[in-house]
Amino acid sequence: MTSHDRAWAATRKGLFELRHRGSTWHIENLSFVADPVTMLLPPDDSGRMLAGLNLGHFGAKLQASDDAGRTWKEVAAPSFPPQPEGAEGPAWKLDHVFSLERSGDAIWCGTVPGGLFVSRDRGESWQLDETLWNDPRRLQWMGGGNPAPALHSICPHPAKPEELLVGVSCGGAWRTTDGGQTWGLRAKGMRADFMPPELAGDENSQDPHLIARCRGEPDVLWCQHHCGIFRSSDNGATWEELQAQPSSFGFAVAAHPADGQTAWFVPAIKDERRIPVDGALCVTRTRDGGKSFDILRTGLPQQHCYDLVFRHGLAVDDSGEQLMMGSTTGGLWASGDAGDSWQAVSAHLPPIYAVKFG
């Protein structure tokens, strides 16, 4: 269970810890000053947490804390095996840590390029899921916003620790039910309008920007796709496209922790623009499984706003009432009423890659 009064923002210039006091959020602490933090795993009950850093010339690194972020130590980052001579696809080298999730006693890590790693020792060491990596269909994956494919979504099944669904840009959605020993595509019904018409429904060519699972109703999954919003009510076996205003394009999605009818999105203008519609930031929310959407603007900038919210820039806590949202231009907002209204936490943080409650 996540704390209702603690959150983190992973940014281009460090990891910010936030605390909720009274009616407002405050910056409590900053770790890794001026270093890009691409992803974090909030602390478990023992205080163990992880942070992925991308240090450019010095490479991708992984840091661990045993005291909920007060002190840190470097641990081994996921690493790929030697690349065979003549192997197709991008270089077998860790670019950055793109997703981190717990499932039972395991921690799973998604990377750029599109690798999936697992740790059984709290993040001290990592093993590549070779079944997915060696699947010949992986060679068809393409880069979305990155030159190489990105494994950005890891959706554990809350009642089945060996089952997870992952999302890849651009490689669709995949599911394992045996801890990664076997995998199957899980993107039927998604639509890729950037492909030739005869390949628009190809499951292995889809570009899900983010996939989120409702933990209380785990058969319900939500996807913010490059080409729209999709929902599955059968654990990813099939997906239905939904229509939202002012736009169905975006990167982020947050699924209500208990109610499979409720999810939040952050709409934008797609492709080369990637800015809020009409320069006015809003969040859209459905409470009826995607049949209709509320457009939530109270407290958000409505003129000359060019904030884009990345894939992991929107989070909801375990109550389903508190949300946090961070943007590429360093805006950070929080809501305590399920998105009906928002309060600015900061307007001048570094570009925000991910927000998490902890």
Side-chain angles (χ1 to χ4, degrees):
M1 300 291 285
T2 60
S3 168
H4 300 310
D5 62 357
R6 185 172 59 183
W8 279 269
T11 81
R12 179 68 177 80
K13 296 289 184 180
L15 178 63
F16 291 80
E17 180 184 350
L18 303 141
R19 292 292 182 132
H20 190 255
R21 292 193 178 90
S23 60
T24 58
W25 286 89
H26 302 274
I27 296 171
E28 181 85 3
N29 187 41
L30 172 60
S31 301
F32 314 117
V33 179
D35 288 338
V37 181
T38 58
M39 181 48 61
L40 74 143
L41 183 69
D44 60 16
D45 291 341
S46 74
R48 178 73 167 188
M49 66 183 298
L50 299 174
L53 280 66
N54 184 2
L55 302 182
H57 177 76
F58 298 102
K61 305 293 183 182
L62 193 67
Q63 293 271 345
S65 173
D66 289 317
D67 52 17
R70 288 188 291 276
T71 61
W72 294 88
K73 65 174 183 178
E74 185 174 346
V75 293
S79 62
F80 290 89
Q83 185 167 3
E85 186 175 348
E88 297 182 49
W92 293 21
K93 181 182 178 182
L94 178 65
D95 183 277
H96 67 270
V97 170
F98 210 22
S99 51
L100 287 165
E101 294 290 344
R102 294 185 179 90
S103 182
D105 294 329
I107 299 175
W108 294 86
C109 175
T111 70
V112 177
L116 180 67
F117 293 80
V118 64
S119 174
R120 307 283 180 183
D121 55 12
R122 306 172 76 228
E124 294 287 336
S125 64
W126 298 89
Q127 293 78 46
L128 175 67
D129 188 303
E130 294 189 1
T131 304
L132 185 59
W133 185 252
N134 293 328
D135 192 304
R137 291 170 290 183
R138 182 186 64 82
L139 298 178
Q140 301 171 28
W141 295 356
M142 305 169 287
N146 294 284
L151 199 152
H152 49 67
S153 299
I154 302 172
C155 302
H157 193 292
K160 303 173 184 178
E162 295 299 298
E163 177 175 333
L164 22 144
L165 183 139
V166 302
V168 183
S169 292
C170 301
W174 295 71
R175 185 183 70 151
T176 180
T177 59
D178 54 18
Q181 297 180 58
T182 58
W183 290 88
L185 273 161
R186 209 76 172 166
K188 184 178 180 180
M190 292 185 186
R191 174 183 58 85
D193 62 13
F194 49 81
M195 296 293 288
E198 66 274 15
L199 296 176
D202 178 27
E203 293 185 66
N204 202 32
S205 300
Q206 299 302 315
D207 186 8
H209 284 172
L210 195 73
I211 302 174
R213 187 192 297 274
C214 173
R215 294 193 304 275
E217 298 182 42
D219 279 353
V220 174
L221 294 149
W222 301 87
C223 175
Q224 175 61 75
H225 189 286
H226 185 82
C227 301
I229 295 171
F230 295 83
R231 181 179 184 267
S232 174
S233 58
D234 54 14
N235 200 12
T238 59
W239 295 84
E240 176 188 7
E241 186 170 2
L242 310 173
Q243 299 296 326
Q245 294 296 327
S247 168
S248 293
F249 175 82
F251 289 90
V253 53
H256 193 285
D259 178 10
Q261 298 295 306
T262 299
W264 296 263
F265 303 83
V266 188
I269 302 174
K270 70 183 299 186
D271 295 337
E272 73 279 2
R273 292 191 177 182
R274 301 191 178 192
I275 59 173
V277 178
D278 298 325
L281 185 62
C282 70
V283 172
T284 55
R285 178 188 63 205
T286 179
R287 285 176 160 166
D288 55 14
K291 297 182 181 66
S292 64
F293 287 83
D294 303 317
I295 302 174
L296 310 171
R297 300 182 181 274
T298 302
L300 298 175
Q302 295 301 292
Q303 291 184 317
H304 302 296
C305 175
Y306 303 99
D307 296 71
L308 182 70
V309 175
F310 277 155
R311 285 173 171 84
H312 304 109
L314 177 68
V316 59
D317 78 347
D318 283 338
S319 73
E321 292 295 315
Q322 291 203 103
L323 292 106
M324 191 165 287
M325 175 172 65
S327 83
T328 55
T329 48
L332 183 67
W333 296 270
S335 172
D337 53 15
D340 286 337
S341 62
W342 295 82
Q343 181 183 60
V345 179
S346 178
H348 47 76
L349 290 179
I352 297 170
Y353 298 142
V355 293
K356 299 278 188 180
F357 287 95

